[in-house]
Amino acid sequence: MKLVVGHLYPEYLNIYADRGNIAVLERRTAWRGIELDYRTIGLRDTVRPAEHDLYYVGGGQDREQALVAPDLAAKGPALIEAVEAGAAFLAVCGGYQLLGNFYRDRSGAELPGIGLLPQHTVAGERRMIGDVLLECELEPGDARTLAGFENHAGRTYLDEGAEPLGRVVSGFGNNGQDGFEGCRVAGAVGTYLHGPLLPRNPWLADWLIARALSRRLGETVALEPLTDDLEASAHAVSSERARRRGGRF
Ligand code: GLN
């Protein structure tokens, strides 16, 4: 069995140990006997919607975001088609912002987003930095927590009726005001959480892998659980740090 992962712009959007998220996907598929075919998608590469099962885009500062935004906008329709056809997608921080409708920087200049996620982002004065804890329920009745670290000046606002990734227990989240964090459409998830994200939240890695496998096989797939003792400790440490920081909502 094989999964094809497409990593968008690894040479530009790569801060906050984003490679760690890919390493987790690689290990968790290998442990289950699934081959992960890792491919990069750079500037001017064409996205063929049938090619990849899972897309990943990481974080970057405004300068790197401006460098890739026009190219990403051109890839937008193919990426949206891929998600509509069942592909999974994880977008972190700067990449998350560019999957929305637009990103307006401090000077008022606007970068186009691809409109995959129903949100937009406007840069604010103060950076929102620190440990974050969320409550999520990506599958009805299956409540989980997500722990990570955020560092962003952009404030992201969800469109009316849009589904967040989770509710903030501690930290700022999308904008420090409405208690939402991230955004989700079908198998696509955008979030400010990094640190990196997947090593301390393996359930989210498995959720993405299962969605990607289901796309490939054309049927719903349930993954064998793994022994996640180390991952559980990392999650506990990170959650505790976020709780000490205190809730804001
Ligand atoms: N433009 C981003 C910001 O809001 C960059 C976010 C990031 O990836 N650090 O700060």
Side-chain angles (χ1 to χ4, degrees):
M1 204 157 11
K2 181 172 112 164
L3 272 192
V4 181
V5 170
H7 187 171
L8 285 147
Y9 314 116
E11 66 279 56
Y12 293 107
L13 300 179
N14 54 18
I15 49 175
Y16 307 124
D18 291 309
R19 276 285 309 166
N21 288 326
I22 298 289
V24 168
L25 295 172
E26 273 165 353
R27 289 313 305 160
R28 296 185 77 79
T29 47
W31 282 329
R32 295 175 167 110
I34 302 161
E35 182 194 337
L36 191 138
D37 182 350
Y38 170 83
R39 303 178 187 174
T40 59
I41 306 173
L43 291 175
R44 289 177 293 278
D45 287 345
T46 302
V47 173
R48 285 171 295 274
E51 183 177 339
H52 306 91
D53 304 300
L54 199 163
Y55 293 89
Y56 178 74
V57 62
Q61 296 304 342
D62 288 22
R63 186 176 164 277
E64 285 74 32
Q65 286 178 285
L67 277 167
V68 306
D71 185 84
L72 183 64
K75 291 176 167 63
L79 292 168
I80 290 171
E81 191 183 326
V83 169
E84 282 173 356
F89 202 142
L90 176 62
V92 175
C93 214
Y96 164 44
Q97 293 173 345
L98 293 180
L99 293 202
N101 295 320
F102 62 85
Y103 170 65
R104 190 179 303 141
D105 73 14
R106 288 301 315 284
S107 72
E110 240 171 60
L111 296 178
I114 68 169
L116 167 64
L117 299 176
Q119 48 89 345
H120 68 272
T121 303
V122 178
E125 295 256 324
R126 244 179 86 219
R127 293 193 75 79
M128 302 195 274
I129 304 174
D131 295 285
V132 196
L133 184 64
L134 310 180
E135 283 171 352
C136 308
E137 199 175 310
L138 292 184
E139 300 302 329
D142 189 11
R144 306 280 189 151
T145 56
L146 206 53
F149 189 86
E150 62 184 329
N151 182 356
H152 52 108
R155 274 87 171 133
T156 297
Y157 300 94
L158 301 181
D159 292 358
E160 191 67 38
E163 190 185 337
L165 168 61
R167 292 201 159 265
V168 175
V169 178
S170 301
F172 293 100
N174 277 341
N175 52 49
Q177 291 162 356
D178 59 22
F180 294 135
E181 206 292 322
C183 187
R184 183 239 168 146
V185 168
V189 164
T191 179
Y192 278 111
L193 269 59
H194 44 74
L197 172 68
L198 298 182
R200 52 181 87 167
N201 300 287
W203 70 264
L204 182 60
D206 285 357
W207 185 83
L208 291 162
I209 292 167
R211 299 280 310 207
L213 268 183
S214 303
R215 185 207 97 98
R216 174 141 298 251
L217 302 175
E219 61 185 77
T220 307
V221 172
L223 294 174
E224 286 292 306
L226 298 170
T227 313
D228 284 326
D229 295 345
L230 199 58
E231 292 81 351
S233 315
H235 182 85
V237 169
S238 188
S239 305
E240 187 44 38
R241 267 204 311 254
R243 283 187 200 280
R244 278 203 306 272
R245 171 185 181 185
R248 281 165 204 276
F249 298 100

